[in-house]
Structures are given as structure tokens and as C-alpha cells.
Amino acid sequence: MSLLQAFEISMLLTSVCAVLLAGWLLWQGKQQPAMPALAGFAAMMALWCAGHIAIMQHWPKVGMALVLANPLMPMFFLHFALQFVADGQRTDRLQRYWQRWKLPLYAVTVLLIASSWYWRGGGVASTAGFNAFFVFSGIGWLNLAYTVLLGVAAHLVLYLGWLQHTGNKRRSIVAMFLAGGWGLLLATSFVFPSLGLNWYPYPMLLLPSYLLLLVYGVVRYQLLAINAFANKALLWLGMLLLVLALMALVSALLGQFGMQALSVVPASQLWLYSVLLLLLSALCYRPLASLAQKLIYPGVQLNESLLALWREQLLLCDSWPQLAQQASALLSAQVRQKVQVLLPDANMTPDSGASLYLLCQRDDTGWHYQLQGWQDVTPGYRLQGEVFAALLQSQCRIFEQSLKLAEAERKRLDQQHLVELGALSAAMAHELRNPLNIIAMAATAIDASSRAHIQQQLKRADRLIADLLNYAGKLQLHCAEVPLKALVQTVMQQQDWQGVHCQLDISAEQTVYADSYRLQQVLINLLDNALAFCRQQSDAQICLSTLQQGDQTRLYVHNNGPAITAAQQASLFQPFVSKRAGGSGLGLAIVRRIMQAHGGTVRHRTDMGWPVSFELSFSAQINTAKEPQHG
């Protein structure tokens, strides 16, 4: 291949790439307002390259006219730069100036180009490797100077944008500067003949790379679609290089296989035919693929817009039943048959009116789908069902994660609310004791009967406040080995038994690792409840016993009072659900909280031979019990 052919192919490739990019950028202008101006830059680059080809093909007037239209390239790029860096304080003034002077500046540019055409701002000369090449003359030098000035202005605007922007936009500006430096290096050789230098413009052979690098650097951080386009472009470029190498090998071997006619074909023509064949294949690939799909899967209408619609509709669902119903409606409308989608958490039963089913199930490995009853469905509808099922499977995974996050957030807010409520309750309980003390002091001046009644109610109020503080306040444990029998006997001495018989079946050596003060609170609350319910019976009995199982100690508190109903058992340890007259409703809730702080448990038993039994379980030693617990 001669240098002349190499130059012509380079200009042709640059022109074709520029036209394709201009069309694509105009299409993307709906999403990015600055892209149409960049499309204008690409279009002018295509015309500029076409001008060089026209000169080489002996169309000098057309070629010189296209080359002298060069100032429109930086003009469009300046327009693009001002739109690209918009929305910043430093460029607000520039934007105002641009809106005022945009049309006059375009008019000056067009006027200069027309003047260059009229007064012949260029000519054609013979130089190294070329019989005809463009050279500037007369007003053409003003044309060139104006072009350079516009390019400098555009890059100054980008510099101001680089100062004010961050993130992807700043990265795009850096990429533009790097591409601009590369383009300046390549374009320098364009003026060699005009300066009287008889040098071949080798850098211009790489001109196709400048436009690609510039546009890709601009939009790769702004439009994700260009990255997919670049991925395909690299694939096709690799295939092109492979075809060129293959053609070179075939050309060398054709003579060995007796194909003399083909062996004398110039390698450049074989390469050109191969490139054209590859480009034709690229252009025909999508239509042929679409046609093949329609032939193999008739009736299928799968495209990006349909998938986006499905995804959007499924994302609107906020419950499993709604997701199942929406999925059923979408798929039924698509395959024109009634389809029922069954999800594990939607609580739906198979509909006898549906002939097709889509099951989405979850196991230890994740979500899976299964199509049932689709054996007689046409391949096109079967494909649609498979695609929809894969999309629904992904949506189920996303929806499950979102529900878990929402539940975790709800629990966090509930916990925070309980903490705040506990702090408020503790503060209010402390404040209530001040007016109660004043009432107690004021009651000393009244008659004995009224004073006794008031003091009785004050004691009750003080007990309610103490229970509220125990439940809602900070709970800090100081644990040690506690002799269980001695502790129980101490608590028993504080109770008013009133004829209730108490049996103690605890070994003197039995110990538990606990906070003795908090354990006394547990026993006092359990014994108070037991006495309140069985004191009115003639044969009232209470029994405390222990059982050692491995490293666990179990303490039982039995009584023969009225059995607790099944309805009451469901909320037995919840606060403020007491059925005992005069109770605060916090006794058993305090018991559970103290036992949980010890790392133990409390539960109600009905299988111990007593109407009412409570079981307290202690581990041998709970180190975490030494840490403070907050309500």
C-alpha cells in the first residue's frame, strides 16, 4: 500500500466515523443538551476530511471549500464547551455573554468562511507523497488564525469548568484536554506544505483516533450507553485487524494453490474488500438477527422498552400478594393467555381458571423459577415466559432484601422509641415523688382515719413509681455467687403470709451467679403475685424448689391459686396487662427483664402438678451480666 492510499483510507475512516458519531450524538441530545453541538463538531470533522479526499480525487474547488470551512469545527466545540460547563457560578457571566453574542459569533464565522471562499484563501500544491495537497494563502491564514483562536477560547472555557466542577464532569474535562493535545499533535502536520516544508504528514494517518478519543472521553462519564458502544467498537476493531492479517496470509498463499488470478490482486484491494465486507456484516447483523428471531419465535415482541415497562411495574409493588397479582396481569397480557404467578409469601392458591403457571420459590441457594403447563405453548410465547420469569426472579430477590431492610429499620425505630419512652417514664416517676412527699407531710395534720387512708394510697403510688423505675430505668448488675436458700428466706421474712403455707425445698449449698438485690426483686414480685391470688383460699400453698441440670440452675415458684387462662398466658410478661387488683402491671415484665439481663429466662409452666408455676433458669456464670443494660 502506498502512502497516498494510506492517507486516503485514514481520511475516509475519519469521515465515516465522524458521520456515525454525529448521528448518534444527535440522537442522545434528548438526554444531554450539549451533545448536538458536539455532533456539529463531528460533522464538520467529516466534511474537513472529505475535503482532503476531494482534492486528492481531482475535485479541487469542492475540496478547498470544505477545508476552508474549518472554523466551524472549533465554533461548534466552543458552543459545546459552554453548554457542558453550564450551571456553575464562574460560568454564569460567560453564559450570559454567550446568549448575547452566540448568533453574531456564528455570523462572523460564516462570513470569514465565505470570504475565504471568495478571495481564494487556499490552493493546491504538490508535496511529498502527494500530487495535490491543500495549502493556505492570503486570507486563508486569517482563517487558520481564527480557527486557532476559537480552539483556545473553547479550552479556556473548559478550564473554568474544571475549576468549578467535581466528579465525572471534571474527569470528562481532563479527558478532553488530553484528547485536544493529541489532536493538536496530529493536526500540526496539516500545515507543513503551507509553510513550505516538503514533509509527508505522517501524524494525520492517526487522525481517526483523535475524534474517537475526544468523543469517548467526553461522554463516557456522562452516558453509560457509550461504554457499551465502545465495547462493541473494540470487538469489531479486533475482528477487522484479524481479517486484515488473514487476507495478507491468503494473498501470500493463493499462488501456491494455483489461484494465479487472485494472487496478482493487490493486497490493498483485498484489504479494502475485506473491510467493506466486515462493515456490511456489522450493518446487517441486527436486522438479520431480528428477522431470524421473528422466524424462529413468531409473535415475540421483546425489546428494551418492554423489559423496562415490566421492571417499572414490578417495582411499584409493595407486598407479595400485589407482586404476584401484578406479575400475573403483565404476563397474561403478553402471552394472551391467563397465567397465574405463585409466590411463596403471597398466600395464593392455584386458580383453576388458569392454564399456565409461573412458580417462584426460594431455597438455601436463592430464588428459582419454574414454568408449569407451558409444554404446548408456542416457542415465541415460551421465550417471553422465560425472560419474564428471569426478571421476576431478580425482582423477588430485590423485594426480599428491601423488606428485610424495612423491617430492620422499623425495629430500630421501635427500639429507639422504647429507649426514649423509658427515659421519659423514669424522669416522670422521679418528678412524681416530690408532690407525693408534700402530700404525705400535709396529711400529718388531719385525723387518724383519713391519714391512714392517705398513707396507704401513698404507699401504693410509691410502689407503682418504684416498679416503673425498675422497668424503664438503667439496669446495672453486680453479680456474685449468691446462697439461694438464705436469699429466699430473707425475702420470705418480708412477706405478709396471713395463713398461707409456704414450703421451701432448697439445699443450703445451692448457689446461683446473680445480682442479689435484683434477684430479691424477682422473688418479691413472684411471691406478691402468688399471695395476692391464693391468700383467699383456706388451703393456700406456695412452694419454692430448685433443680440442677448440668450448668443450669432452675428455681421454681409454685402456688395453688387460680390457673392462668390461655388468653392471659399469651401476654403474661407484657407490661400493663395485670389482672390483680392494685397491681402495677409491671411485676412480671420486671421479672423477665431482670432474668434476661442475667442471661437467664423465666417462663410459665402448667405441667408441674401445680395450677400456677414459674420457672427461673440461671446459667453457671454469665459474664455479660456484668455489663449495664439499658431500658
Short mmCIF file of all heavy atoms in Angstrom, two decimals, residues 432-478:
data_model
loop_
_atom_site.label_atom_id
_atom_site.label_comp_id
_atom_site.label_asym_id
_atom_site.label_seq_id
_atom_site.Cartn_x
_atom_site.Cartn_y
_atom_site.Cartn_z
N LEU A 432 -42.71 12.70 90.13
CA LEU A 432 -43.94 12.45 90.89
C LEU A 432 -43.68 12.30 92.37
O LEU A 432 -44.58 12.56 93.20
CB LEU A 432 -44.63 11.19 90.35
CG LEU A 432 -45.38 11.35 89.02
CD1 LEU A 432 -45.87 10.00 88.55
CD2 LEU A 432 -46.55 12.31 89.18
N ARG A 433 -42.51 11.87 92.77
CA ARG A 433 -42.24 11.66 94.19
C ARG A 433 -42.21 12.98 94.98
O ARG A 433 -42.51 12.98 96.17
CB ARG A 433 -40.91 10.93 94.35
CG ARG A 433 -41.08 9.42 94.17
CD ARG A 433 -39.82 8.66 94.35
NE ARG A 433 -40.10 7.24 94.47
CZ ARG A 433 -39.21 6.28 94.33
NH1 ARG A 433 -37.95 6.60 94.05
NH2 ARG A 433 -39.54 5.01 94.46
N ASN A 434 -41.88 14.06 94.34
CA ASN A 434 -41.85 15.35 95.05
C ASN A 434 -43.25 15.76 95.52
O ASN A 434 -43.45 16.05 96.71
CB ASN A 434 -41.24 16.43 94.15
CG ASN A 434 -39.77 16.19 93.92
OD1 ASN A 434 -39.07 15.65 94.80
ND2 ASN A 434 -39.28 16.58 92.74
N PRO A 435 -44.27 15.79 94.62
CA PRO A 435 -45.61 16.14 95.14
C PRO A 435 -46.16 15.10 96.11
O PRO A 435 -46.91 15.44 97.03
CB PRO A 435 -46.46 16.24 93.87
CG PRO A 435 -45.72 15.49 92.83
CD PRO A 435 -44.29 15.67 93.15
N LEU A 436 -45.79 13.81 95.96
CA LEU A 436 -46.26 12.80 96.90
C LEU A 436 -45.69 13.05 98.30
O LEU A 436 -46.39 12.84 99.33
CB LEU A 436 -45.89 11.41 96.41
CG LEU A 436 -46.62 10.92 95.14
CD1 LEU A 436 -46.12 9.56 94.73
CD2 LEU A 436 -48.12 10.88 95.38
N ASN A 437 -44.43 13.45 98.38
CA ASN A 437 -43.84 13.77 99.68
C ASN A 437 -44.55 14.96 100.33
O ASN A 437 -44.76 14.98 101.56
CB ASN A 437 -42.35 14.08 99.51
CG ASN A 437 -41.56 12.83 99.16
OD1 ASN A 437 -41.95 11.71 99.53
ND2 ASN A 437 -40.45 13.01 98.46
N ILE A 438 -44.92 15.95 99.52
CA ILE A 438 -45.65 17.11 100.07
C ILE A 438 -47.01 16.68 100.60
O ILE A 438 -47.45 17.11 101.69
CB ILE A 438 -45.79 18.18 98.98
CG1 ILE A 438 -44.41 18.71 98.58
CG2 ILE A 438 -46.69 19.33 99.46
CD1 ILE A 438 -44.43 19.66 97.42
N ILE A 439 -47.67 15.78 99.86
CA ILE A 439 -48.98 15.27 100.32
C ILE A 439 -48.82 14.51 101.63
O ILE A 439 -49.64 14.63 102.56
CB ILE A 439 -49.62 14.39 99.24
CG1 ILE A 439 -49.96 15.23 98.00
CG2 ILE A 439 -50.86 13.68 99.77
CD1 ILE A 439 -50.44 14.41 96.83
N ALA A 440 -47.77 13.70 101.74
CA ALA A 440 -47.54 12.93 102.97
C ALA A 440 -47.32 13.85 104.16
O ALA A 440 -47.84 13.59 105.27
CB ALA A 440 -46.34 12.01 102.78
N MET A 441 -46.56 14.91 103.98
CA MET A 441 -46.33 15.84 105.09
C MET A 441 -47.59 16.60 105.45
O MET A 441 -47.89 16.84 106.63
CB MET A 441 -45.21 16.82 104.72
CG MET A 441 -43.84 16.18 104.66
SD MET A 441 -42.51 17.38 104.39
CE MET A 441 -42.87 17.89 102.71
N ALA A 442 -48.40 16.94 104.45
CA ALA A 442 -49.63 17.67 104.72
C ALA A 442 -50.64 16.78 105.44
O ALA A 442 -51.50 17.27 106.19
CB ALA A 442 -50.22 18.21 103.42
N ALA A 443 -50.56 15.45 105.23
CA ALA A 443 -51.54 14.53 105.84
C ALA A 443 -51.33 14.36 107.33
O ALA A 443 -52.21 13.82 108.01
CB ALA A 443 -51.47 13.18 105.14
N THR A 444 -50.20 14.78 107.89
CA THR A 444 -49.96 14.62 109.34
C THR A 444 -50.87 15.49 110.18
O THR A 444 -51.05 15.24 111.38
CB THR A 444 -48.50 14.97 109.65
OG1 THR A 444 -48.22 16.31 109.22
CG2 THR A 444 -47.55 14.01 108.93
N ALA A 445 -51.49 16.51 109.57
CA ALA A 445 -52.32 17.44 110.35
C ALA A 445 -53.79 17.06 110.34
O ALA A 445 -54.61 17.78 110.93
CB ALA A 445 -52.15 18.86 109.79
N ILE A 446 -54.17 15.96 109.69
CA ILE A 446 -55.59 15.60 109.63
C ILE A 446 -55.85 14.45 110.58
O ILE A 446 -54.93 13.91 111.22
CB ILE A 446 -55.98 15.23 108.20
CG1 ILE A 446 -55.18 14.01 107.72
CG2 ILE A 446 -55.74 16.41 107.25
CD1 ILE A 446 -55.59 13.55 106.33
N ASP A 447 -57.11 14.00 110.66
CA ASP A 447 -57.49 12.95 111.61
C ASP A 447 -56.85 11.62 111.22
O ASP A 447 -56.44 11.42 110.09
CB ASP A 447 -59.02 12.81 111.66
CG ASP A 447 -59.57 12.41 110.32
OD1 ASP A 447 -59.79 13.33 109.47
OD2 ASP A 447 -59.75 11.19 110.07
N ALA A 448 -56.75 10.73 112.20
CA ALA A 448 -56.01 9.47 112.05
C ALA A 448 -56.59 8.59 110.96
O ALA A 448 -55.86 7.95 110.19
CB ALA A 448 -55.99 8.72 113.37
N SER A 449 -57.93 8.50 110.86
CA SER A 449 -58.54 7.62 109.87
C SER A 449 -58.21 8.06 108.44
O SER A 449 -57.81 7.26 107.60
CB SER A 449 -60.06 7.61 110.07
OG SER A 449 -60.68 6.84 109.06
N SER A 450 -58.35 9.38 108.21
CA SER A 450 -58.04 9.89 106.87
C SER A 450 -56.56 9.79 106.57
O SER A 450 -56.14 9.50 105.44
CB SER A 450 -58.49 11.36 106.74
OG SER A 450 -59.89 11.47 106.90
N ARG A 451 -55.73 10.04 107.63
CA ARG A 451 -54.29 9.96 107.43
C ARG A 451 -53.87 8.54 107.05
O ARG A 451 -53.01 8.33 106.18
CB ARG A 451 -53.57 10.41 108.70
CG ARG A 451 -52.05 10.42 108.52
CD ARG A 451 -51.35 11.12 109.68
NE ARG A 451 -51.61 10.47 110.95
CZ ARG A 451 -52.37 10.96 111.93
NH1 ARG A 451 -52.98 12.15 111.77
NH2 ARG A 451 -52.56 10.31 113.06
N ALA A 452 -54.47 7.53 107.71
CA ALA A 452 -54.13 6.14 107.41
C ALA A 452 -54.52 5.79 105.97
O ALA A 452 -53.78 5.10 105.25
CB ALA A 452 -54.83 5.20 108.39
N HIS A 453 -55.67 6.28 105.53
CA HIS A 453 -56.10 6.01 104.15
C HIS A 453 -55.16 6.66 103.14
O HIS A 453 -54.78 6.04 102.14
CB HIS A 453 -57.53 6.52 103.97
CG HIS A 453 -58.06 6.30 102.58
ND1 HIS A 453 -58.34 5.04 102.07
CD2 HIS A 453 -58.34 7.20 101.58
CE1 HIS A 453 -58.77 5.15 100.83
NE2 HIS A 453 -58.79 6.46 100.51
N ILE A 454 -54.78 7.92 103.45
CA ILE A 454 -53.87 8.63 102.53
C ILE A 454 -52.52 7.93 102.48
O ILE A 454 -51.93 7.75 101.40
CB ILE A 454 -53.73 10.10 102.95
CG1 ILE A 454 -55.05 10.85 102.71
CG2 ILE A 454 -52.59 10.78 102.19
CD1 ILE A 454 -55.04 12.27 103.22
N GLN A 455 -52.01 7.53 103.63
CA GLN A 455 -50.71 6.87 103.67
C GLN A 455 -50.73 5.53 102.92
O GLN A 455 -49.75 5.15 102.26
CB GLN A 455 -50.28 6.66 105.12
CG GLN A 455 -49.88 7.95 105.82
CD GLN A 455 -49.51 7.74 107.28
OE1 GLN A 455 -49.81 6.67 107.85
NE2 GLN A 455 -48.88 8.74 107.88
N GLN A 456 -51.87 4.83 103.00
CA GLN A 456 -51.99 3.58 102.27
C GLN A 456 -51.92 3.82 100.76
O GLN A 456 -51.23 3.09 100.02
CB GLN A 456 -53.31 2.89 102.63
CG GLN A 456 -53.51 1.56 101.92
CD GLN A 456 -54.85 0.92 102.26
OE1 GLN A 456 -55.67 1.53 102.95
NE2 GLN A 456 -55.08 -0.28 101.78
N GLN A 457 -52.59 4.86 100.28
CA GLN A 457 -52.56 5.17 98.85
C GLN A 457 -51.19 5.70 98.41
O GLN A 457 -50.74 5.44 97.28
CB GLN A 457 -53.65 6.20 98.51
CG GLN A 457 -55.07 5.69 98.73
CD GLN A 457 -55.35 4.42 97.93
OE1 GLN A 457 -55.00 4.33 96.77
NE2 GLN A 457 -55.98 3.43 98.59
N LEU A 458 -50.53 6.43 99.34
CA LEU A 458 -49.20 6.92 99.02
C LEU A 458 -48.21 5.76 98.86
O LEU A 458 -47.34 5.78 98.00
CB LEU A 458 -48.71 7.90 100.09
CG LEU A 458 -49.38 9.28 100.10
CD1 LEU A 458 -48.90 10.09 101.30
CD2 LEU A 458 -49.07 10.02 98.80
N LYS A 459 -48.36 4.74 99.74
CA LYS A 459 -47.50 3.57 99.62
C LYS A 459 -47.74 2.86 98.29
O LYS A 459 -46.81 2.40 97.63
CB LYS A 459 -47.75 2.60 100.78
CG LYS A 459 -47.22 3.09 102.11
CD LYS A 459 -47.50 2.07 103.21
CE LYS A 459 -46.96 2.56 104.56
NZ LYS A 459 -47.24 1.58 105.63
N ARG A 460 -49.00 2.81 97.90
CA ARG A 460 -49.32 2.18 96.62
C ARG A 460 -48.70 2.97 95.46
O ARG A 460 -48.12 2.39 94.53
CB ARG A 460 -50.83 2.09 96.45
CG ARG A 460 -51.25 1.44 95.13
CD ARG A 460 -52.75 1.50 94.97
NE ARG A 460 -53.13 1.00 93.64
CZ ARG A 460 -54.33 1.10 93.11
NH1 ARG A 460 -55.32 1.69 93.81
NH2 ARG A 460 -54.60 0.63 91.91
N ALA A 461 -48.83 4.30 95.53
CA ALA A 461 -48.24 5.14 94.47
C ALA A 461 -46.73 4.99 94.45
O ALA A 461 -46.11 4.93 93.38
CB ALA A 461 -48.64 6.60 94.68
N ASP A 462 -46.13 4.91 95.64
CA ASP A 462 -44.67 4.76 95.69
C ASP A 462 -44.23 3.42 95.09
O ASP A 462 -43.19 3.34 94.43
CB ASP A 462 -44.20 4.88 97.14
CG ASP A 462 -42.69 4.91 97.22
OD1 ASP A 462 -42.09 5.90 96.77
OD2 ASP A 462 -42.10 3.93 97.73
N ARG A 463 -45.05 2.40 95.32
CA ARG A 463 -44.74 1.09 94.75
C ARG A 463 -44.85 1.14 93.22
O ARG A 463 -44.00 0.57 92.49
CB ARG A 463 -45.69 0.03 95.32
CG ARG A 463 -45.51 -1.36 94.72
CD ARG A 463 -44.12 -1.92 95.01
NE ARG A 463 -43.92 -3.20 94.39
CZ ARG A 463 -44.26 -4.38 94.95
NH1 ARG A 463 -44.82 -4.39 96.16
NH2 ARG A 463 -44.03 -5.50 94.32
N LEU A 464 -45.88 1.82 92.72
CA LEU A 464 -46.02 1.96 91.27
C LEU A 464 -44.83 2.71 90.67
O LEU A 464 -44.30 2.32 89.62
CB LEU A 464 -47.32 2.70 90.95
CG LEU A 464 -48.63 1.95 91.21
CD1 LEU A 464 -49.82 2.88 91.03
CD2 LEU A 464 -48.75 0.74 90.31
N ILE A 465 -44.38 3.74 91.36
CA ILE A 465 -43.24 4.51 90.86
C ILE A 465 -41.98 3.65 90.89
O ILE A 465 -41.17 3.67 89.95
CB ILE A 465 -43.05 5.79 91.70
CG1 ILE A 465 -44.22 6.76 91.45
CG2 ILE A 465 -41.73 6.46 91.37
CD1 ILE A 465 -44.22 7.96 92.34
N ALA A 466 -41.80 2.88 91.95
CA ALA A 466 -40.63 2.01 92.06
C ALA A 466 -40.62 0.97 90.93
O ALA A 466 -39.58 0.70 90.33
CB ALA A 466 -40.61 1.34 93.42
N ASP A 467 -41.81 0.40 90.65
CA ASP A 467 -41.89 -0.58 89.56
C ASP A 467 -41.58 0.07 88.21
O ASP A 467 -40.89 -0.52 87.36
CB ASP A 467 -43.29 -1.21 89.52
CG ASP A 467 -43.49 -2.23 90.63
OD1 ASP A 467 -42.48 -2.60 91.27
OD2 ASP A 467 -44.64 -2.65 90.86
N LEU A 468 -42.09 1.27 88.02
CA LEU A 468 -41.84 1.96 86.76
C LEU A 468 -40.36 2.27 86.58
O LEU A 468 -39.80 2.11 85.50
CB LEU A 468 -42.67 3.25 86.70
CG LEU A 468 -42.62 4.04 85.39
CD1 LEU A 468 -43.14 3.18 84.25
CD2 LEU A 468 -43.45 5.31 85.50
N LEU A 469 -39.69 2.68 87.68
CA LEU A 469 -38.26 2.95 87.60
C LEU A 469 -37.47 1.67 87.35
O LEU A 469 -36.49 1.67 86.59
CB LEU A 469 -37.79 3.61 88.90
CG LEU A 469 -38.21 5.08 89.09
CD1 LEU A 469 -37.82 5.56 90.49
CD2 LEU A 469 -37.58 5.96 88.03
N ASN A 470 -37.90 0.59 87.96
CA ASN A 470 -37.19 -0.68 87.75
C ASN A 470 -37.33 -1.16 86.31
O ASN A 470 -36.39 -1.76 85.76
CB ASN A 470 -37.76 -1.75 88.70
CG ASN A 470 -37.30 -1.53 90.14
OD1 ASN A 470 -36.21 -1.02 90.37
ND2 ASN A 470 -38.15 -1.90 91.09
N TYR A 471 -38.50 -0.92 85.71
CA TYR A 471 -38.71 -1.41 84.36
C TYR A 471 -38.09 -0.50 83.30
O TYR A 471 -37.52 -0.96 82.33
CB TYR A 471 -40.22 -1.56 84.09
CG TYR A 471 -40.52 -2.13 82.73
CD1 TYR A 471 -40.32 -3.48 82.47
CD2 TYR A 471 -40.96 -1.31 81.69
CE1 TYR A 471 -40.57 -4.01 81.22
CE2 TYR A 471 -41.21 -1.84 80.44
CZ TYR A 471 -41.01 -3.19 80.21
OH TYR A 471 -41.26 -3.71 78.97
N ALA A 472 -38.23 0.82 83.50
CA ALA A 472 -37.81 1.76 82.46
C ALA A 472 -36.42 2.32 82.67
O ALA A 472 -35.82 2.84 81.74
CB ALA A 472 -38.82 2.92 82.38
N GLY A 473 -35.88 2.22 83.87
CA GLY A 473 -34.59 2.84 84.14
C GLY A 473 -33.42 1.98 83.71
O GLY A 473 -33.56 0.90 83.16
N LYS A 474 -32.22 2.50 84.00
CA LYS A 474 -31.00 1.78 83.65
C LYS A 474 -30.82 0.59 84.60
O LYS A 474 -31.01 0.71 85.81
CB LYS A 474 -29.80 2.72 83.76
CG LYS A 474 -28.48 2.09 83.37
CD LYS A 474 -27.33 3.08 83.56
CE LYS A 474 -27.43 4.22 82.58
NZ LYS A 474 -26.26 5.12 82.66
N LEU A 475 -30.47 -0.55 84.05
CA LEU A 475 -30.32 -1.77 84.83
C LEU A 475 -28.86 -2.20 84.80
O LEU A 475 -28.34 -2.61 83.76
CB LEU A 475 -31.21 -2.87 84.24
CG LEU A 475 -31.31 -4.18 85.05
CD1 LEU A 475 -31.91 -3.91 86.40
CD2 LEU A 475 -32.13 -5.20 84.28
N GLN A 476 -28.18 -2.09 85.93
CA GLN A 476 -26.77 -2.47 86.03
C GLN A 476 -26.63 -3.56 87.08
O GLN A 476 -27.13 -3.43 88.20
CB GLN A 476 -25.92 -1.26 86.39
CG GLN A 476 -24.42 -1.55 86.32
CD GLN A 476 -23.60 -0.28 86.42
OE1 GLN A 476 -24.16 0.80 86.59
NE2 GLN A 476 -22.29 -0.40 86.34
N LEU A 477 -25.96 -4.63 86.71
CA LEU A 477 -25.85 -5.79 87.59
C LEU A 477 -24.46 -5.86 88.21
O LEU A 477 -23.47 -5.53 87.58
CB LEU A 477 -26.12 -7.08 86.80
CG LEU A 477 -27.47 -7.17 86.07
CD1 LEU A 477 -27.57 -8.51 85.37
CD2 LEU A 477 -28.63 -6.97 87.02
N HIS A 478 -24.41 -6.33 89.46
CA HIS A 478 -23.17 -6.63 90.16
C HIS A 478 -23.29 -8.07 90.66
O HIS A 478 -23.82 -8.33 91.73
CB HIS A 478 -22.95 -5.66 91.33
CG HIS A 478 -22.90 -4.22 90.89
ND1 HIS A 478 -21.80 -3.65 90.31
CD2 HIS A 478 -23.86 -3.25 90.93
CE1 HIS A 478 -22.05 -2.39 90.03
NE2 HIS A 478 -23.30 -2.11 90.39
#
